[in-house]
Amino acid sequence: RESAYTLLKECHMGNGVNLGNLNLKAYPIAGDNKVLVRQVIPKNRICELSKPGLGNFPSGDGSADSPYGICRPEHFNLVGDDATLLTKNYELLKDLDFGQHSHGVSDSLGIPLCSSLGTSIVPFGGLGDNSSGCAAIANPVAFTGSFNGNNHAMKNIFILEDELTSIGIFRETDPATIKNLILDNIHIEGIQNVGAISGFSDSGSIFENIIIK
């Protein structure tokens, strides 16, 4: 994050001053009595320090150099069938437990909707179109970005479908890179092309260092 502050008095601060777990870097702004202060938050603290609003990711811009950070199941569920977000890049910043985000089996424990039998997650590509009364998404937009789990786990995931093909936590990839991910306690059902990670994948997709328990 960057902010401009007016200097109220002369101060001497070396570049890269460390204040606990926060690293502050000061840059003078030419022709002004202000400095630009950049706050560098370690990745392992982003989730506890940031409180993103609904519809926001806690860090990043979705580019390859600055992927969107995912701290909570709600962040993962944001992507759904959004064609733009399905082209972006993502990374897990902590373990995710979807056990309290279910719908349709034990009923109202969370937000994912539009599943024929029940789901604890909104897969990349979505299941149903909320804007059309949960009309089933038979031909999902494929994920074409990257997803780095950073060796974190996604736990307690289920998707139960008796209407759709290409069912997985990423419905289709064309192509995409998914790596460094642990899936713990996952149950996926569909009528055709079903996988824990992806229901259907283009031959150019890369799956690397993935553990399924």
Side-chain angles (χ1 to χ4, degrees), residues 78-93:
L78 282 174
V79 179
D81 62 342
D82 187 304
T84 299
L85 291 180
L86 286 166
T87 68
K88 302 298 183 180
N89 302 279
Y90 301 87
E91 64 174 341
L92 285 189
L93 301 180

Side-chain angles (χ1 to χ4, degrees), residues 88-90 124 143-149 170 173-180 197 204-208 210:
K88 302 298 183 180
N89 302 279
Y90 301 87
F124 277 34
F143 177 48
T144 58
S146 68
F147 189 95
N148 186 351
F170 302 90
T173 62
D174 186 26
T177 297
I178 301 166
K179 62 183 181 179
N180 305 325
I197 304 165
S205 293
I206 297 173
F207 302 93
E208 180 181 294
I210 297 174

